[in-house]
Amino acid sequence: MADDWIQSTLMSSTFTYDAIVIGAGAGGGVTAAVLSERGMRVLLLERGKRDVSLAATGRDHLRNHRLARHGHNIGPELEGNPRVFVEPNGATRTLRPHEDGWNNNAMAVGGGTSVFGAQAWRFLPDDFRMASRYGVPSGSSLADWPITYADLAPYYERIEWEMGVAANDALMATHWPRARGYPMPAMPVNSQGRAVRAGAQKMGLPVFPVPLLINTAPYNHRPACTQCSFCVGFACGVDAKNGTQNTMIPRALATGNCTLLTGARVTRITTNVTGVVTGVTYVDDAGTMHDERSGRVIVCAGAIETARLLLLSGSAAHPHGLGNHSDQVGRNLQGHYYPGASGLTAEPIWDGVGPGASTATVRWNHGNADVIGGGMLADEFILLPIIFAKSHLPPDLSRWGAANKAFMREGYRRYLDLKGPVQEIPSPDGRVTLDPTVRDALGLPVARLSGTTHPETVRTAEFMRQRALEWMVACGAVRTWSRAPVLRLSGGQHQAGTCRMGADPATSVADPTGRVHGHANLYLADGSLHPTNGGFNPVLTILANALRVAEGIT
């Protein structure tokens, strides 16, 4: 019945669009480009703003997506968009989007890719088979991906070339099987990178340049990076940072087949009386409600909001939400623990040359005794002075007064930071549900975030913290400090996993193609599909997997 309805819909001329894509971020931008270039009529709906240029979003040191305690620069609106966060002890907090615990991904055209640091990592082959390699810890939901590295490798390569990645061909090929090099050479190293590499050499630690979705030479009709110190958290001043807002979405629009609507908040995915997906309902920025029908709906709203929308779209045929027949929607929420170490060198090393993240190691991603997985470590992006003051000072230093000022004057120029994401061990109790009482500006139940990651994640993070401290000492740091990890919910800007894909509908939300189990025309194409989230920034994997999913949509 469902397949018959879809086929008749595809042949119908009464529908304005062949596909509706919800969310114009990493996954949605790629999906819109693929479908539009194939000749489909696509409606791309984005709740945030369209103009994400530096002129429109600014360079406010106190309000950005790297320091959002006072607000941010790329959506969503601070008022009318709360979430409820449940502490491990059961206490609840109602939060606004810029507050800790809300777990914000930028919401605008390009999503987080408009303000990201642009680290462009492939996951390692073993990242796709964590359960097979390590077993499944008691109480965890650790699982293999239903696809392999070899399945995704061609799509990684295409994204690297179609969007533009700068990296070292030979060094990267020592860890990732590749059929082709990168389109641009790696970013030049700055002073902090040279200090980090000297420390690595003392340890015999293999390192290589951080791969970046940033032009190191003119590429795709846009200029090369000027190596300013305002990369992560802000739009690029010369448009050399490669997100979907300046690569894939313009391609989609250039076909004439894609209509992009911003300020559009999707309130539900609609279904007919038999439960077949028929389109969406959305509210525009003037407050007017629209019903749009289509033969296909592809959700790319980020792991938290994708899960929320599926739960909001329940019906008589699907009383617990779409795809939630096995109570899996919203479970296994992951972000990334980010253990690391801070240190002071004997002499100033700050030169202000960005983006800063220059040197990484994957020595400890796998093969560590008594630890499941591991992670990547790298030097950090250039820190704004206010971020250094608020988040990176030694724990025993006064936060005000003469000693604080003296440390800021000298310590900022001598500061090193080594950190990286770990391979989290997901827990089914770390999840997104609908809050029973708190509503957003449209009167809809908001996302309720509860539970924690698995204790093995904490153990892995502590292992990586110790490795970062060792590397920091080898760099010549005369003083080091770091923060020990604790058990908590993880679901920040690298959020993933709430609608994982898999072959078994009892333990997954979507099949290996990204199609939601039980729905012939409903797809997901964002980080919510990830069974595990790797030991790397996940954006390149989101982009590549969205390309794979989109090319399989018929």
Side-chain angles (χ1 to χ4, degrees):
M1 290 289 294
D3 288 337
D4 291 344
W5 184 89
I6 294 167
Q7 290 304 315
S8 65
T9 296
L10 299 183
M11 298 297 294
S12 173
S13 61
T14 61
F15 300 113
T16 306
Y17 303 102
D18 300 311
I20 296 174
V21 180
I22 302 169
V30 170
T31 301
V34 170
L35 300 184
S36 298
E37 289 177 340
R38 193 191 298 167
M40 289 189 189
R41 300 161 297 174
V42 176
L43 175 62
L44 179 57
L45 296 173
E46 170 55 51
R47 65 180 287 174
K49 63 179 70 175
R50 183 165 186 152
D51 187 354
V52 292
S53 66
L54 181 62
T57 58
R59 194 173 274 171
D60 187 335
H61 289 211
L62 294 174
R63 297 166 183 84
N64 58 77
H65 271 268
R66 196 63 164 178
L67 176 66
R69 296 182 190 178
H70 307 286
H72 52 223
N73 51 349
I74 304 282
E77 298 84 358
L78 298 187
E79 303 303 329
N81 294 295
R83 283 178 182 165
V84 174
F85 184 86
V86 183
E87 301 282 1
N89 64 8
T92 62
R93 293 183 288 141
T94 300
L95 302 170
R96 295 189 296 167
H98 67 295
E99 294 177 314
D100 291 344
W102 201 91
N103 291 317
N104 186 19
N105 270 355
M107 296 183 185
V109 171
T113 70
S114 62
V115 292
F116 66 167
Q119 293 197 33
W121 297 98
R122 295 186 182 195
F123 286 2
L124 287 163
D126 272 359
D127 292 344
F128 295 87
R129 52 183 303 274
M130 292 284 288
S132 292
R133 174 156 183 175
Y134 297 103
V136 179
S138 176
S140 81
S141 50
L142 188 63
D144 290 344
W145 285 53
I147 61 172
T148 66
Y149 174 86
D151 294 326
L152 201 55
Y155 301 98
Y156 275 136
E157 180 182 292
R158 286 179 53 189
I159 288 296
E160 288 163 352
W161 280 84
E162 293 181 30
M163 292 184 63
V165 172
N168 183 295
D169 294 342
L171 291 176
M172 297 296 281
T174 62
H175 296 281
W176 290 267
R178 305 183 58 83
R180 189 182 187 189
Y182 289 91
M184 291 175 283
M187 187 73 67
V189 66
N190 63 0
S191 292
Q192 75 173 24
R194 288 189 287 273
V196 166
R197 293 180 188 190
Q201 187 173 21
K202 290 180 184 178
M203 297 176 66
L205 186 64
V207 296
F208 40 78
V210 174
L212 296 167
L213 277 151
I214 296 176
N215 291 350
T216 54
Y219 193 75
N220 282 341
H221 310 293
R222 287 181 290 107
C225 171
T226 60
Q227 291 191 265
C228 78
S229 57
F230 297 95
C231 192
V232 63
F234 301 97
C236 180
V238 297
D239 204 24
K241 189 161 54 174
N242 303 323
T244 56
Q245 79 284 351
N246 57 8
T247 59
M248 307 306 285
I249 294 173
R251 279 174 46 178
L253 298 177
T255 67
N257 296 323
C258 180
T259 300
L260 170 62
L261 295 182
T262 55
R265 299 190 58 170
V266 177
T267 60
R268 69 183 293 108
I269 300 164
T270 56
T271 55
N272 65 15
V273 292
T274 64
V276 175
V277 169
T278 58
V280 304
T281 299
Y282 71 91
V283 177
D284 65 24
D285 57 6
T288 303
M289 182 172 290
H290 303 263
D291 287 305
E292 196 67 62
R293 299 187 73 200
S294 171
R296 308 166 186 85
V297 173
I298 305 96
V299 189
C300 310
I304 292 175
E305 290 298 324
T306 287
R308 179 188 176 218
L309 181 58
L310 294 182
L311 294 173
L312 285 171
S313 301
S315 64
H318 306 287
H320 304 295
L322 302 184
N324 200 32
H325 48 273
S326 300
D327 192 29
Q328 291 298 305
V329 171
R331 290 192 181 275
N332 315 304
L333 175 63
Q334 298 158 72
H336 266 137
Y337 272 47
Y338 242 84
S342 298
L344 290 186
T345 58
E347 300 295 331
I349 59 166
W350 181 87
D351 60 9
V353 175
S358 71
T359 305
T361 187
V362 296
R363 163 62 185 79
W364 297 296
N365 277 69
H366 290 284
N368 304 298
D370 301 321
V371 171
I372 298 176
M376 178 269 292
L377 288 174
D379 55 349
E380 182 57 22
F381 293 95
I382 297 293
L383 290 173
L384 297 177
I386 187 61
I387 295 178
F388 177 67
K390 285 185 174 291
S391 305
H392 293 74
L393 298 181
D396 59 348
L397 179 71
S398 173
R399 270 31 185 183
W400 60 87
N404 180 277
K405 291 180 180 179
F407 188 90
M408 283 294 299
R409 280 192 296 268
E410 292 299 319
Y412 181 72
R413 298 183 301 143
R414 295 164 45 202
Y415 181 73
L416 271 181
D417 194 8
L418 293 167
K419 63 174 60 172
V422 304
Q423 289 147 342
E424 293 188 353
I425 313 306
S427 166
D429 297 326
R431 65 185 306 191
V432 179
T433 55
L434 300 179
D435 192 82
T437 58
V438 179
R439 301 290 187 267
D440 66 11
L442 299 178
L444 299 173
V446 304
R448 181 182 179 92
L449 311 180
S450 60
T452 67
T453 184
H454 191 272
E456 286 293 338
T457 301
V458 181
R459 205 155 67 92
T460 301
E462 176 59 20
F463 171 84
M464 292 304 298
R465 183 175 78 98
Q466 295 301 325
R467 305 293 79 75
L469 283 165
E470 292 169 4
W471 191 1
M472 186 64 70
V473 171
C475 293
V478 296
R479 183 179 182 184
T480 64
W481 62 96
S482 67
R483 183 179 303 169
V486 297
L487 187 65
R488 58 176 174 82
L489 182 67
S490 180
Q493 58 188 333
H494 292 178
Q495 63 188 236
T498 56
C499 302
R500 59 168 46 173
M501 58 179 172
D504 186 356
T507 57
S508 60
V509 174
D511 69 17
T513 71
R515 192 195 312 251
V516 175
H517 290 301
H519 294 277
N521 61 335
L522 177 61
Y523 293 82
L524 311 178
D526 59 11
S528 68
L529 289 172
H530 293 191
T532 53
N533 208 24
F536 300 97
N537 307 55
V539 67
L540 194 75
T541 300
I542 294 172
L543 294 164
N545 195 48
L547 181 59
R548 184 188 68 88
V549 169
E551 292 208 329
I553 295 175
T554 58

